[in-house]
Every structure is written in structure tokens, then in C-alpha cells.
């Protein structure tokens, strides 16, 4: 058993266990903190797959920004920490959907891609990629790919980010203005 | 080494996220489960990128992360807005959007 396989199995056990905790814990803040563990373990899987740039972007965006945003939303909405009613009543349907989803995905992914070799040692003659295999996944090669071949998608994504920023400001700010107008109208009458 | 363990982990993570979306009531926890599903697809993309020795899968995973960040921003704004309107963020209460 190779060392990277050992690391992968440890990370996969950590990923699955913490993902189950995200789904099953009744306390929402605990769910957010277990989500940090899950995302960090997936970032470790990316590192095992020699995707350094994606791993560090995962740590920066997900662990650094998204989870903090989720925690802010949890505090803004002051979610009740009670255990009653944390899960919905459709558990049998969800269990059936989960089993069927995993069955289909596992069968397709394992039988459809059975013979493919995941070569983590990166011999150059077996990897027919454009970039030299010893630097697949580092920041330089990914940056070159983004800003040459994928530059149009990158620009579209920047516009999407701007639209999301403006949209979030509009959606979350409109209610406060309406409340202020109602308060002013109520004070005037 | 075979690519099957990575793909199986991806399928398992996607399934856990899907079950969480179906089961949980809190809208923010539903968002977390959507993030789990997106991470599962990212894992599959990076695995296939490594298998083929090309960067396209990693770039696609990066784009998925950026779109997921935008989605979280807008979605959380909507959730906070719904909470201000009706003092609840349960997805069962918001089944009728206007009333």
C-alpha cells in the first residue's frame, strides 16, 4: 500500500464521517464547523491528486469565506438551537433517494471507469497532456491555462461575481428601506 | 493506483449532500449540503483531470468554486430577507413564497 493511498484513506474516512456529522447534527453552528473539517479533508484529497492550486483555492474560498459567510448568516437569523424539528418528515423518501443515487453513481463511476490508471508518480510517457506532468496543478500552469485558453469564461465569471455582489446588496437592503418608510409613515400618521 | 477510490468517495459525498438537502429543515444547513455536493463534483473533476494529465478539469473545478461562492452570497441574502419577512428560515415554512 503506497503512502499516498494511506493518506487518501485517512482523508476519505475523515471526509465521510464529518459530512455525515454535517447532515445529522441538530446544532447548526456545529454543522458549519463540521463542514470546515469536510472541506479541509477534500482539500487534502486535492493535494493527494497533485492539484495544489485547487486545494489552496478550496481552503481560501470555502473554509475562509463561505463558512464564515454561513456563520454570519446563522448569527443574523438567530436560528434556534433546539433539537426539535431539525429534520423533515420525509426520511424514508430521502433514504430511498440517497440509496438509489449512490447505487447509480457508484455503478456508473466504478464500472464505466474501471480500467483507468491514476498515475500519481507522473511518468511523462504515460501522461499525454499539454503541460509537462511534473507541474500539472501548480499555480503557474493553472494560471497559464486560465488566462490563455479559458480567459473568456474567466471574464464572464468576474461579471457573475459582480452581479452576485450587487444582487446581494439589493436583496438584503430593500427590506430595511421599506421598514424605514413604514416607520416614517407610521410616525407621521 | 486505480482511480476508483476517489470516484467512490465523490459518489458517497454527493449522496450524503443529497440526503442532507432532502432531510434538513434549516435553509442554511441545506446550503451547506449543496456545498457538499459541489465539492463531490469538484473531486470527480480533479480526479479525471489527473487521470488524463490535463488541466481542464482543475480549471473547471476552480470555476465551480467561484460560481458556488456567488451562489452562496445571493442565497444567504435571500435567506436573511426571508427571515426578516417571516421570522423563520425553515424550508417548510417558505413553501408558499409570497404568503
Amino acid at each position: 500500500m503506497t503512502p499516498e493511498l494511506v493518506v487518501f484513506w485517512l482523508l476519505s474516512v475523515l471526509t465521510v464521517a464529518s459530512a455525515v456529522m454535517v447532515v445529522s447534527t441538530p446544532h447548526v453552528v456545529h454543522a458549519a464547523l463540521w463542514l470546515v473539517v469536510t472541506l479541509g479533508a477534500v482539500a487534502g484529497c486535492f493535494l493527494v491528486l497533485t492539484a495544489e492550486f485547487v486545494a489552496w483555492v478550496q481552503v481560501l474560498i470555502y473554509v475562509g469565506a463561505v463558512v464564515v459567510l454561513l456563520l454570519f448568516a446563522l448569527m443574523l437569523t438567530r436560528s434556534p438551537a433546539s433539537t426539535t424539528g431539525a429534520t423533515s418528515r420525509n426520511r424514508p423518501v430521502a433514504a430511498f433517494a440517497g440509496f438509489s443515487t449512490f447505487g447509480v453513481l457508484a455503478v456508473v463511476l466504478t464500472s464505466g471507469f474501471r480500467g483507468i490508471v491514476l498515475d500519481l508518480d507522473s511518468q511523462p510517457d504515460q501522461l499525454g497532456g499539454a503541460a509537462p506532468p511534473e507541474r500539472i496543478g501548480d499555480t503557474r500552469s493553472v494560471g497559464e491555462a486560465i488566462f490563455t485558453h479559458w480567459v473568456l469564461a474567466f471574464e464572464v465569471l468576474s461579471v457573475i461575481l459582480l452581479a452576485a455582489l450587487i444582487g446581494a446588496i439589493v436583496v438584503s437592503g430593500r427590506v430595511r428601506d421599506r421598514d424605514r418608510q413604514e416607520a416614517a409613515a407610521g410616525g407621521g400618521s | 493506483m486505480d482511480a476508483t477510490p476517489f470516484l467512490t468517495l465523490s459518489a458517497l459525498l454527493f449522496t450524503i449532500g443529497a440526503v442532507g438537502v432532502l432531510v434538513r429543515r434549516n435553509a442554511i444547513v441545506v446550503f451547506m449540503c449543496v456545498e457538499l455536493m459541489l465539492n463531490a463534483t469538484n473531486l470527480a473533476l480533479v480526479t479525471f483531470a489527473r487521470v488524463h494529465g490535463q488541466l481542464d478539469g482543475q480549471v473547471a473545478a476552480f470555476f465551480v468554486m467561484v460560481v458556488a461562492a456567488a451562489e452562496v452570497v445571493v442565497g444567504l441574502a435571500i435567506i436573511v430577507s426571508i427571515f426578516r419577512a417571516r421570522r423563520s428560515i425553515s424550508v417548510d415554512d417558505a413553501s408558499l413564497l409570497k404568503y
Side-chain angles (χ1 to χ4, degrees):
Chain A
M1 185 175 267
T2 56
E4 54 263 20
L5 201 57
V6 174
V7 173
F8 167 73
W9 280 114
L10 291 175
L11 284 172
S12 62
V13 168
L14 186 63
T15 303
V16 172
S18 54
V20 169
M21 286 304 293
V22 169
V23 173
S24 65
T25 180
H27 202 287
V28 286
V29 180
H30 289 179
L33 296 178
W34 281 112
L35 187 66
V36 171
V37 178
T38 307
L39 299 175
V42 174
C45 290
F46 289 158
L47 279 181
V48 172
L49 287 167
T50 68
E52 300 171 22
F53 177 73
V54 178
W56 297 125
V57 166
Q58 162 107 352
V59 171
L60 282 176
I61 290 184
Y62 272 114
V63 181
V66 169
V67 174
V68 172
L69 209 58
L70 287 168
L71 285 172
F72 263 110
L74 285 176
M75 292 171 188
L76 278 177
T77 53
R78 288 193 298 275
S79 306
S82 67
T83 61
T84 61
T87 59
S88 181
R89 285 188 300 274
N90 52 3
R91 280 192 188 183
V93 182
F96 173 73
F99 277 122
S100 54
T101 302
F102 179 68
V104 169
L105 280 178
V107 166
V108 167
L109 288 178
T110 56
S111 68
F113 302 97
R114 185 184 301 273
I116 61 174
V117 176
L118 186 65
D119 191 7
L120 294 175
D121 296 330
S122 69
Q123 280 92 14
D125 51 349
Q126 293 181 359
L127 294 170
E134 65 271 13
R135 59 185 188 88
I136 282 179
D138 65 350
T139 310
R140 182 188 178 96
S141 58
V142 176
E144 284 177 354
I146 286 175
F147 287 106
T148 55
H149 190 255
W150 295 91
V151 63
L152 184 61
F154 183 79
E155 296 298 333
V156 169
L157 272 184
S158 65
V159 178
I160 284 178
L161 277 179
L162 180 65
L165 183 69
I166 297 173
I169 292 172
V170 168
V171 168
S172 62
R174 192 187 294 157
V175 176
R176 198 173 52 202
D177 292 341
R178 196 193 308 152
D179 286 346
R180 195 178 300 144
Q181 288 171 1
E182 287 176 355
S189 63
Chain B
M1 146 174 211
D2 202 2
T4 306
F6 288 94
L7 297 176
T8 308
L9 175 64
S10 170
L12 199 55
L13 200 58
F14 188 90
T15 306
I16 293 171
V19 171
V21 168
L22 291 175
V23 162
R24 293 305 294 256
R25 277 199 173 122
N26 193 322
I28 298 178
V29 182
V30 170
F31 256 79
M32 295 179 197
C33 297
V34 172
E35 299 302 317
L36 284 183
M37 295 164 74
L38 289 170
N39 257 280
T41 59
N42 274 344
L43 187 59
L45 282 172
V46 173
T47 303
F48 286 127
R50 184 64 208 176
V51 163
H52 292 287
Q54 290 182 349
L55 278 173
D56 294 347
Q58 295 187 13
V59 175
F62 170 66
F63 287 164
V64 167
M65 284 182 193
V66 176
V67 174
E71 166 241 342
V72 163
V73 168
V74 177
L76 288 181
I78 291 172
I79 288 174
V80 170
S81 177
I82 287 176
F83 175 76
R84 282 179 184 161
R86 65 179 73 222
R87 294 287 137 188
S88 166
I89 56 170
S90 172
V91 290
D92 290 342
D93 294 340
S95 57
L96 296 177
L97 286 178
K98 189 172 178 180
Y99 299 105

